[in-house]
Amino acid sequence: MTQLEALEEKLQPLYARLASHALYGSFRTIDDLRIFMEAHVFAVWDFMSLLKALQRGLTSVDVPWLPSATPESRRLINEIVLGEESDTYNGQHVSHFELYRIAMQQCGASTVAVDRLLFALRDGADLHEAIRGSRAPDEAKLFLRDTFHIISEGKLHCIAAAFTFGREDLIPAMFKGFVRDVNRSLAGDLDTFIWYLERHIEVDGEEHGPMALRMIAELCGDDHAKWAEAEQAAVFALESRLRLWDGIAAQIAATSSHLTTSSS
């Protein structure tokens, strides 16, 4: 068994917990989906910061240009950047984050919190100050804190592990089935969101996922210490995702309970 296979095997219990999380069975209405999207959008956004941290570390973005020391990984990361930052949807080039925001608007989810975050950052605010002032759900703020903690440590093999094993393909088929069922009663309000889910899972499973695994193997090489740190980062990212899912599920349950009490 290779070190990469051993790492994937160690992570399986966390993947199993995520795949069977109670969150997916908690969706009943379009309002539940909106609660999910208003928190999950921050995971879609900070994913791009993980990606850009890898691009910055694995390719040359300085002038004058010099070839980086990781030719395989720089090819992989540039391909992933192209797909994630400049995909094609309905004849337009768009990042997956921008597409997700469009999907939120189409189904009536609020983009106020994530827009506040982006506005503050464009205005020169400190990252953590911008997060605190964004009015994001608490569980999303904690998730962002975890992501940028990994980035701030500057270890590319750890960033790659968080990037690879904490991806959006953690959303299982049962959730996509719920979205399709709701969409049939909404006259197409979720068409863009469905495309986002299917596209992201398609490219993660068939293209970006295998690429990212090869990137980890190149970055860790035969260094046992790096493999151990990559494992810690992957576990950290997956446990952070579990806490995000826990928080969203609690928000949905609290809202459903409030509506039930109000109507009785």
Side-chain angles (χ1 to χ4, degrees):
M1 178 182 295
T2 67
Q3 289 176 299
L4 182 59
E5 290 169 337
L7 174 56
E8 291 183 287
E9 184 174 286
K10 289 178 181 177
L11 298 178
Q12 280 307 309
L14 287 169
Y15 270 100
R17 286 174 59 191
L18 281 161
S20 61
H21 198 283
L23 171 66
Y24 306 115
S26 67
F27 294 98
R28 296 290 184 271
T29 68
I30 186 63
D31 288 331
D32 296 338
L33 181 61
R34 289 168 182 150
I35 291 171
F36 171 81
M37 295 182 78
E38 288 167 13
H40 179 240
V41 66
F42 290 94
V44 178
W45 174 74
D46 76 355
F47 172 84
M48 290 302 300
S49 290
L50 285 168
L51 178 57
K52 286 299 178 176
L54 288 169
Q55 186 183 34
R56 183 176 61 193
L58 296 173
T59 72
S60 178
V61 293
D62 296 322
V63 177
W65 177 87
L66 293 171
S68 67
T70 52
E72 177 73 7
S73 290
R74 74 178 178 229
R75 167 69 186 225
L76 301 178
I77 208 66
N78 280 331
E79 286 195 22
I80 294 173
V81 167
L82 176 62
E84 296 288 346
E85 192 172 33
S86 302
D87 209 343
T88 303
Y89 177 67
N90 285 345
Q92 301 292 320
H93 294 135
V94 63
S95 71
H96 286 182
F97 166 76
E98 291 165 315
L99 190 68
Y100 197 96
R101 188 182 176 281
I102 291 169
M104 291 177 69
Q105 292 177 313
Q106 288 180 348
C107 81
S110 173
T111 64
V112 169
V114 72
D115 289 347
R116 282 176 62 92
L117 173 63
L118 297 184
F119 179 82
L121 290 172
R122 288 192 178 107
D123 202 39
D126 169 77
L127 170 65
H128 297 289
E129 176 186 332
I131 292 172
R132 285 193 296 271
S134 68
R135 299 180 187 170
D138 288 342
E139 58 271 17
K141 290 179 180 178
L142 293 173
F143 187 82
L144 292 175
R145 178 201 65 186
D146 291 344
T147 298
F148 285 98
H149 170 72
I150 291 175
I151 292 173
S152 69
E153 291 192 326
K155 296 181 178 180
L156 287 178
H157 55 289
C158 292
I159 297 172
F163 174 87
T164 300
F165 296 110
R167 304 178 65 82
E168 300 310 303
D169 62 353
L170 297 172
I171 299 174
M174 67 181 92
F175 175 68
K176 291 195 294 180
F178 163 79
V179 173
R180 288 195 192 93
D181 289 343
V182 171
N183 193 51
R184 293 190 186 100
S185 66
L186 292 176
D189 284 356
L190 296 179
D191 283 351
T192 301
F193 187 48
I194 290 173
W195 190 93
Y196 166 86
L197 290 175
E198 293 179 342
R199 177 62 171 158
H200 222 281
I201 292 172
E202 171 193 356
V203 296
D204 282 352
E206 296 179 8
E207 301 172 25
H208 296 176
M211 288 180 186
L213 290 173
R214 295 200 302 274
M215 176 174 58
I216 289 176
E218 182 178 51
L219 291 175
C220 291
D222 295 324
D223 190 324
H224 294 289
K226 286 186 175 180
W227 279 107
E229 289 179 337
E231 178 185 339
Q232 292 173 357
V235 169
F236 182 79
L238 288 168
E239 289 179 342
S240 180
R241 177 73 65 151
L242 278 166
R243 288 190 291 271
L244 177 64
W245 270 198
D246 289 344
I248 297 173
Q251 286 293 329
I252 291 174
T255 301
S256 299
S257 175
H258 173 72
L259 291 175
T260 301
T261 302
S262 298
S263 61
S264 60

